[in-house]
Amino acid sequence: MNQKMSKFAHITKVHPCYNEKLHDKIGRVHLPVAPKCNIACRYCKRCLGAESLCEERPGVAHHIMKPAEVEDYLSDLFKKMPNIKVIGIAGPGDSLFNKETFETLEILQDKFPEMVRCLSTNGLLLPKYAKKLADLGVKTVTVTVNAVDPKIQAQMCDWIYYEGKVLKGEEGAKVLIENQLEGVKKAYDYDLAVKINTVLVPEINMNHIVDIAKTYADYAFVQNIIPLIPMYKMENLRRPDCGEISGVRDSAEEFMTQFRACQQCRADAAGLLGEKKHMEQTKGKNLDIYDLKHFSH
């Protein structure tokens, strides 16, 4: 673990999703350029437009941003929020399943090379793109890993779309699990700092999460165990309580550093992690920042 800390010290000094002490100091912005997804998680419901305005969770954005909008949006945003040092792509679909992600990363590499660049992914295509991400200057990758046992993963995800085929149940789960581990190993080899996101579903994977930490201990920098937000096909399942979350984190921490301050941010979040702000499109064209504090929850 100390070796990993040393290897990625340059990231932990500037990235608020890798260092809880930076939450009130360094901001980040998510660019919602990746709408399509290649897996069907049972807890995920993507949401766009006006109905998304009062929601603060992954998978939602005011609208899908085009790569051509990115430079002007960021140039204006940095004037308003000079504390932003990190630019991420977090969907609202899967980043690696959208060509717009790579078009955006090329723009960022050219126009904003001083910014830390990161993205989130389900990891299905990470073996294919790990090197390309490194070549494009990406420094951190978050991979959502909910199981390392196909029987458990099949309860979290209905199907995956891979190499032109829809693979369901345990067949798809096995391919996803294998690709996630291979991809994380490659990312580590290319000096990408990897964070493992794990959605804690008490009825399904609560007693399995330590196995995830053990499996990824040598390759991922940190694990972020986040509570289920009951919705979509898991709307009747319960959210884990604070004691359960804390207990699982304590057990998993024996094998991997735990991140304990995740905000479960939107795909278009901007600013400090506690500010609850995101992108808005006004007058049909102009991009602006929308403040969720204007709405009750």
Side-chain angles (χ1 to χ4, degrees):
M1 188 174 295
N2 289 335
Q3 182 180 358
K4 286 188 293 183
M5 290 288 186
S6 176
K7 182 175 182 178
F8 298 117
H10 61 295
I11 295 298
T12 62
K13 292 178 181 178
V14 296
H15 202 312
C17 295
Y18 286 70
N19 187 338
E20 299 162 20
K21 296 179 181 179
L22 299 178
H23 279 200
D24 61 346
K25 298 178 178 66
I26 293 179
R28 84 302 183 224
V29 56
H30 291 169
L31 303 176
V33 297
K36 297 185 296 182
C37 196
N38 50 359
I39 73 174
C41 295
R42 296 179 61 82
Y43 56 79
C44 180
K45 182 180 180 181
R46 280 170 285 168
C47 180
L48 298 172
E51 63 180 314
S52 78
L53 290 182
C54 292
E55 294 201 60
E56 184 67 19
R57 62 173 176 84
V60 302
H62 185 273
H63 84 293
I64 300 302
M65 179 183 286
K66 297 178 181 178
E69 297 176 302
V70 165
E71 183 179 356
D72 287 346
Y73 171 63
L74 291 178
S75 295
D76 184 56
L77 181 65
F78 295 156
K79 295 175 185 176
K80 299 175 181 177
M81 298 182 174
N83 56 18
I84 291 179
K85 305 298 180 186
V86 177
I87 305 173
I89 299 174
D94 183 70
S95 298
L96 298 183
F97 191 54
N98 292 263
K99 64 180 178 59
E100 291 83 359
T101 294
F102 300 100
E103 294 172 7
T104 300
L105 289 174
E106 289 176 358
I107 293 170
L108 298 181
Q109 187 177 41
D110 180 40
K111 302 297 183 179
F112 306 98
E114 74 284 0
M115 293 287 173
V116 175
R117 283 151 275 162
C118 63
L119 60 79
S120 299
T121 176
N122 57 45
L124 182 60
L125 297 178
L126 189 54
K128 179 178 180 180
Y129 291 120
K131 184 180 185 302
K132 185 171 184 178
L133 293 177
D135 290 342
L136 287 170
V138 172
K139 298 300 182 185
T140 73
V141 177
T142 295
V143 185
T144 299
V145 180
N146 296 321
V148 290
D149 180 337
K151 289 184 173 60
I152 296 175
Q153 176 60 35
Q155 299 177 64
M156 303 287 290
C157 180
D158 285 332
W159 52 261
I160 70 168
Y161 178 76
Y162 185 62
E163 294 186 342
K165 297 180 180 179
V166 175
L167 305 176
K168 299 181 179 181
E170 291 184 29
E171 180 185 16
K174 185 173 185 293
V175 172
L176 178 60
I177 290 168
E178 290 174 350
N179 282 24
Q180 287 174 331
L181 184 56
E182 180 186 353
V184 170
K185 288 179 178 179
K186 285 190 174 183
Y188 179 83
D189 288 341
Y190 288 119
D191 293 331
L192 299 174
V194 177
K195 174 161 62 73
I196 300 296
N197 272 8
T198 302
V199 179
L200 171 54
V201 184
E203 291 89 346
I204 296 176
N205 68 348
M206 185 159 68
N207 296 323
H208 177 65
I209 289 178
V210 172
D211 291 334
I212 298 173
K214 289 180 182 178
T215 301
Y216 284 89
D218 291 336
Y219 310 104
F221 177 76
V222 66
Q223 184 179 31
N224 177 31
I225 299 169
I226 56 179
L228 170 71
I229 301 174
M231 63 173 54
Y232 192 44
K233 294 184 178 180
M234 289 188 173
E235 64 179 354
N236 294 321
L237 299 183
R238 67 180 180 87
R239 182 185 179 98
D241 62 40
C242 293
E244 289 171 328
I245 298 170
S246 180
V248 173
R249 286 171 174 166
D250 289 345
S251 297
E253 196 157 36
E254 180 180 347
F255 305 97
M256 193 186 304
T257 300
Q258 296 293 303
F259 188 75
R260 297 173 181 264
C262 179
Q263 302 293 312
Q264 292 182 277
C265 299
R266 295 168 54 104
D268 59 359
L272 298 175
L273 268 72
E275 289 184 320
K276 307 298 184 187
K277 294 183 179 181
H278 61 79
M279 180 184 68
E280 181 184 33
Q281 188 171 14
T282 58
K283 299 179 182 178
K285 294 182 180 180
N286 300 322
L287 298 174
D288 206 345
I289 295 300
Y290 190 89
D291 193 339
L292 279 178
K293 289 185 290 187
H294 294 311
F295 284 80
S296 59
H297 290 263

